[in-house]
Amino acid sequence: MRIIILTIATAILTLLSRPAFSQETRPTSEKDTISVQNRIKTLETEKARQIALEKQDLKEKISNVEEQLAANEINKEEAEALKMDFAKAAAKNIENRSAIIDNQIALLARNEDINVEDSSFKLVFNTDSGRFFGFEFENNNDTVLKVKYDIRTTSSLLIAAGLNNAIIEGQSLEDSPYKIGGSRFFEIGWVWKTRVFEQSNWLRFNYGFSFQFNGLKMEDNQYFVERGDQTVLETFPLDLDKSKLRFDNFVIPLHFEIGTSEKVVKEDRIRYKTDHKFKLGLGGYAGLNLKTIQKLKYEEDGNDRKDKLKRNYNTNNFIYGLSGYVGLDNFSVYLKYDLNTIFKDNPVDERNVSLGVRFDL
């Protein structure tokens, strides 16, 4: 299947590349033909070298199996099975590597009339093992065919939840009029993560969009009332079973994320795996308040009442703040803090703060 895919890709890319080579029609010179032939010889030499490397690698693996058998670490049946597996893998590797080079030879042979003086060609290797990795063939600085590739941007579902409260000017959280355990937040969105550097994954840029639902549950039978340009807490005339103010926000989160990763190099691609790896993200967010709702639950004249009051409550419409997370793999501890005040014109500033867990799924 890989040979078929490579053949089809080579054919398509050859067709796409023809306009770049036919900008100026000129006869094929003897010099061009010799240059192409030299490149074909280089590829044939590399093909032979790769086959020799695979055979040498197989020889070393079989020798290691013989040593394990002699030391009674494995039995004869296990040794034979290992030898067979190694032999099959080596044969498949030779087949795949040969197919890649054979396709490049065929490409050069079909295009002997290209302007080789304006072209560049190089083999690409895995620098750790010396194995043939792919090839690049360029004309007038435009890459025509490149087998080597990697993924630079990934995306994931963002889900976060935890405790919510407000930092009030001149007060500590212990004196907060909002319940510590009863005030919560929830966030859901979609984020993209892009490696900042092409050849490294230690620094990533994390960005996207999300919906934040921040709730404040009031203590001592209090609820919010608009008094002109200010929003104040007052005692409700009846016994409240529930009193909660919720802010629904749409924000754009932006973070720079640093962390470790495992670089995985294969024949046709590079991957950076962050499974079970440390990460630290620092940044912020900005957006809009979509809706503010106050929910009151109480009993009146023997009847249960549930009021859902959708009002402005003099809240700030523009939301912005700082946020960060630290964790492993897809899980992290998450902290966010609004730099904008909750209410526009209140004499005492209040700013929303949240602490919870975050999942990038």
Side-chain angles (χ1 to χ4, degrees):
M1 179 61 73
R2 182 177 294 177
I3 296 175
I4 295 174
I5 293 173
L6 285 169
T7 303
I8 294 173
T10 302
I12 293 173
L13 289 169
T14 301
L15 291 173
L16 292 174
S17 66
R18 285 189 179 276
F21 295 143
S22 58
Q23 293 175 358
E24 181 181 351
T25 304
R26 65 179 186 85
T28 304
S29 68
E30 182 179 355
K31 180 180 178 182
D32 292 345
T33 302
I34 293 174
S35 180
V36 171
Q37 290 174 351
N38 287 339
R39 292 179 179 183
I40 290 176
K41 288 180 180 179
T42 299
L43 284 167
E44 290 174 341
T45 301
E46 179 55 32
K47 178 179 175 180
R49 191 180 81 88
Q50 291 299 319
I51 293 174
L53 278 172
E54 286 294 341
K55 289 181 177 180
Q56 179 61 32
D57 188 44
L58 176 61
K59 183 179 179 180
E60 292 174 359
K61 289 179 179 178
I62 290 177
S63 177
N64 186 39
V65 170
E66 292 288 353
E67 291 177 1
Q68 290 180 293
L69 179 61
N72 294 322
E73 295 178 1
I74 56 175
N75 57 40
K76 187 175 181 180
E77 289 76 13
E78 291 173 330
E80 291 301 321
L82 286 172
K83 290 179 183 179
M84 182 61 68
D85 290 340
F86 289 144
K88 289 180 179 179
K92 194 65 177 177
N93 288 344
I94 290 174
E95 178 185 350
N96 293 341
R97 298 182 196 282
S98 297
I100 294 174
I101 298 178
D102 287 343
N103 276 282
Q104 176 62 6
I105 291 174
L107 176 64
L108 288 173
R110 283 196 306 272
N111 294 277
E112 289 187 359
D113 59 336
I114 65 174
N115 186 353
V116 294
E117 292 178 350
D118 295 334
S119 304
S120 62
F121 167 78
K122 64 179 179 180
L123 302 175
V124 183
F125 297 92
N126 180 338
T127 55
D128 296 328
S129 65
R131 298 293 186 187
F132 178 71
F133 191 78
F135 51 82
E136 292 180 1
F137 183 53
E138 299 179 349
N139 181 268
N140 294 327
N141 298 320
D142 294 326
T143 301
V144 176
L145 183 58
K146 188 175 182 180
V147 173
K148 179 181 177 181
Y149 71 92
D150 56 12
I151 290 178
R152 193 163 181 174
T153 299
T154 59
S155 61
S156 60
L157 175 68
L158 162 64
I159 295 178
L163 300 177
N164 194 70
N165 216 287
I167 301 296
I168 303 175
E169 186 180 9
Q171 294 185 19
S172 66
L173 277 177
E174 295 179 356
D175 301 323
S176 174
Y178 312 117
K179 294 181 180 179
I180 300 296
S183 302
R184 304 182 186 92
F185 85 95
F186 178 77
E187 182 173 354
I188 185 169
W190 193 262
V191 292
W192 289 266
K193 188 181 298 184
T194 299
R195 288 188 292 109
V196 174
F197 303 109
E198 184 176 0
Q199 302 297 329
S200 174
N201 193 46
W202 73 270
L203 180 63
R204 286 91 69 174
F205 184 48
N206 200 326
Y207 53 96
F209 64 89
S210 67
F211 294 91
Q212 296 177 349
F213 306 94
N214 302 323
L216 296 174
K217 185 173 286 188
M218 280 69 82
E219 296 263 23
D220 302 328
N221 211 58
Q222 294 187 96
Y223 75 118
F224 277 106
V225 179
E226 292 180 85
R227 297 299 183 193
D229 293 336
Q230 297 183 10
T231 302
V232 297
L233 283 170
E234 294 185 359
T235 301
F236 196 71
L238 301 174
D239 290 334
L240 286 170
D241 295 324
K242 180 179 181 180
S243 176
K244 183 177 182 179
L245 191 67
R246 194 186 76 200
F247 314 97
D248 299 350
N249 304 327
F250 174 79
V251 299
I252 303 296
L254 303 170
H255 296 91
F256 278 104
E257 180 180 296
I258 60 174
T260 57
S261 60
E262 177 186 358
K263 184 178 181 180
V264 179
V265 180
K266 296 189 177 182
E267 289 182 9
D268 59 347
R269 63 189 182 276
I270 294 175
R271 293 291 182 270
Y272 291 93
K273 297 177 64 176
T274 56
D275 297 347
H276 310 297
K277 300 296 184 180
F278 167 82
K279 64 179 179 181
L280 170 66
L282 297 173
Y285 51 90
L288 299 173
N289 171 245
L290 302 178
K291 184 169 55 178
T292 302
I293 301 175
Q294 182 168 209
K295 294 182 179 181
L296 303 175
K297 184 178 179 182
Y298 56 94
E299 182 177 322
E300 184 179 32
D301 298 329
N303 298 316
D304 292 334
R305 292 285 305 273
K306 293 181 180 179
D307 294 343
K308 184 182 289 187
L309 309 175
K310 299 180 182 179
R311 297 175 183 173
N312 178 265
Y313 288 102
N314 298 312
T315 55
N316 269 303
N317 295 324
F318 181 56
I319 309 299
Y320 61 99
L322 301 175
S323 57
Y325 53 90
V326 59
L328 296 173
D329 200 356
N330 297 326
F331 170 82
S332 55
V333 178
Y334 183 42
L335 174 66
K336 62 184 182 71
Y337 174 66
D338 286 1
L339 294 177
N340 62 279
T341 58
I342 297 175
F343 305 106
K344 295 178 183 177
D345 301 311
N346 279 16
V348 178
D349 290 341
E350 299 184 37
R351 292 178 172 84
N352 196 85
V353 63
S354 308
L355 175 64
V357 294
R358 168 182 170 133
F359 299 91
D360 295 279
L361 305 176

